Amino acid sequence: MNKLLKKYIVWPSHSECFTIAQQFFEASGYPDVIGAIDGCHVTCKIPYGQHDSYQDRKFNHSIPIQAACTTERIFTHISVGYPGAIHDARILQESSIGQITRDNADTLFYTRFHLVGDSAYPCKTWFMSPFRDNGRLTQQQKKHNYALSRARVVIENVFGLLKGRWRILNFVNVYSIEKAMKIITCCCILHNFCLINHDDFDAAHNFEHEHRGNYEEQVVDDNGAQKRMTICDMF
């Protein structure tokens, strides 16, 4: 499975990033985006004794998928296996993306590109998230948030497509966390395999995005804030 994962879920090369960024810009008006990222919880049977760790905010026992995708709905990164109680920003921090960017963000983002996500995520030079709506947003900030939302929405559509095609993800009924992780990962690999081979699927399955609200302070570093304001000034 690891060989298939490395073959079908691949981070874009430098040259591919320019093409992906152009596609995102045409779709949303937001510049230099090479992926939209979000989390999706997969309800699973969890062994007794680990229920608290895997209980999500809806009080289900789940394993989250955190994934980044392109406008063509192809996964370029997935992270599977963290307990459902863990916050999205923590999963990002502990994922391979977070680990690599701690040493050198340019390794993945080539000095200019970034991911986009909702307000649960940090604002960094390689990750653009919306301005928190405190009731005092300027018109430019509102326009910025709208364009970012248009770029980000594709990942919600992809999760809907994933769960619509692979119905096992509505409830993974195996009494092993390791096996559940493999099933979830295999479904993500098969998703890319099908799209790459033009086996499209348009089942009507609505992914219910969880509105997380402002229950946790958004992390904004100085360089990320400066880059976000530069982009905001374009609107």
Side-chain angles (χ1 to χ4, degrees), residues 138-196:
T138 66
Q139 285 302 312
Q140 277 189 310
Q141 288 173 333
K142 290 178 180 178
K143 290 178 180 179
H144 167 275
N145 285 1
Y146 176 70
L148 188 149
S149 178
R150 291 185 65 191
R152 184 186 62 78
V153 73
V154 64
I155 187 62
E156 296 181 22
N157 296 335
V158 169
F159 284 140
L161 179 63
L162 181 73
K163 284 191 168 184
R165 188 194 286 263
W166 313 111
R167 296 303 179 104
I168 191 174
L169 297 181
N170 291 314
F171 180 66
V172 180
N173 190 18
V174 294
Y175 207 68
S176 164
I177 292 173
E178 183 179 356
K179 189 171 183 180
M181 290 168 53
K182 288 181 178 179
I183 290 171
I184 295 168
T185 301
C186 282
C187 289
C188 294
I189 294 170
L190 287 169
H191 167 88
N192 274 15
F193 175 84
C194 289
L195 290 184
I196 290 168

Side-chain angles (χ1 to χ4, degrees), residues 81-153:
Y82 291 92
I86 293 184
H87 186 263
D88 285 353
R90 172 72 182 279
I91 297 175
L92 177 66
Q93 179 183 348
E94 298 299 326
S95 70
S96 58
I97 291 177
Q99 292 173 11
I100 292 171
T101 53
R102 275 198 292 271
D103 296 328
N104 182 10
D106 292 347
T107 302
L108 297 179
F109 297 96
Y110 310 107
T111 73
R112 64 175 290 177
F113 300 108
H114 42 256
L115 299 172
V116 290
D118 65 20
S119 58
Y121 290 101
C123 177
K124 297 178 178 290
T125 56
W126 54 271
F127 200 113
M128 292 290 103
S129 52
F131 293 97
R132 281 286 176 88
D133 189 355
N134 54 11
R136 298 188 297 273
L137 293 181
T138 66
Q139 285 302 312
Q140 277 189 310
Q141 288 173 333
K142 290 178 180 178
K143 290 178 180 179
H144 167 275
N145 285 1
Y146 176 70
L148 188 149
S149 178
R150 291 185 65 191
R152 184 186 62 78
V153 73

Side-chain angles (χ1 to χ4, degrees), residues 38-57:
D38 203 352
C40 170
H41 285 261
V42 177
T43 304
C44 301
K45 184 184 287 185
I46 300 297
Y48 187 78
Q50 300 186 58
H51 284 184
D52 289 346
S53 296
Y54 285 84
Q55 182 172 285
D56 60 33
R57 295 176 191 91

Side-chain angles (χ1 to χ4, degrees), residues 2 8 18 22-23 78 87 92 98 143 149 174 177 180 194 206 215-216 227:
N2 285 336
Y8 287 104
F18 287 96
Q22 182 60 32
Q23 291 169 339
I78 63 168
H87 186 263
L92 177 66
K143 290 178 180 179
S149 178
V174 294
I177 292 173
C194 289
N206 295 321
Y215 60 84
E216 188 163 313
K227 182 177 182 180

